[in-house]
Amino acid sequence: PGGARSDALEYREGARREWSWCGPPLSYFQDEYLTGAELFPVREVRFHGIRAPVPRDGWPALQRAYGQSVGFKARIDEHGGVWADLREAQHARLRRPASV
């Protein structure tokens, strides 16, 4: 319905109108998902005066996507060449909340 169509998408009319993926079985994000147990029940946290929904346990998804070191390694530059181990005393300033 309307808009640009990709060759990899096909719109099907029928009992249910929906888009179907017709491209190759390839995903660049195969490790970026939340299981039902990781997502539900969704919690709410207060963030700058609003209530934001967050998954019940997001760490497994972060570890799948970024590796087991996601909790203590930080990329310092935008191209991924400079990393800091946040467990080291010399990087303590990076663990503090940013002033907003």
Side-chain angles (χ1 to χ4, degrees):
R5 283 183 57 173
S6 167
D7 291 339
L9 291 175
E10 174 183 59
Y11 187 70
R12 298 179 187 202
E13 294 276 350
R16 287 178 39 187
R17 297 171 11 146
E18 61 185 42
W19 286 96
S20 298
W21 178 254
C22 299
L26 171 68
S27 172
Y28 294 106
F29 307 102
Q30 70 271 5
D31 294 329
E32 298 178 21
Y33 62 90
L34 288 162
T35 65
E38 294 164 0
L39 181 59
F40 299 109
V42 173
R43 301 179 296 126
E44 281 191 351
V45 296
R46 292 194 62 73
F47 183 74
H48 291 283
I50 64 169
R51 283 186 271 197
V54 296
R56 184 184 72 78
D57 183 11
W59 280 108
L62 290 170
Q63 290 170 337
R64 278 191 298 276
Y66 301 106
Q68 296 298 314
S69 63
V70 69
F72 58 87
K73 282 185 84 174
R75 187 176 76 193
I76 301 301
D77 70 333
E78 64 185 65
H79 301 291
V82 181
W83 293 85
D85 187 330
L86 300 178
R87 299 171 296 184
E88 296 176 359
Q90 66 190 17
H91 301 299
R93 65 182 171 75
L94 298 173
R95 292 191 302 264
R96 291 193 297 269
S99 59
V100 180

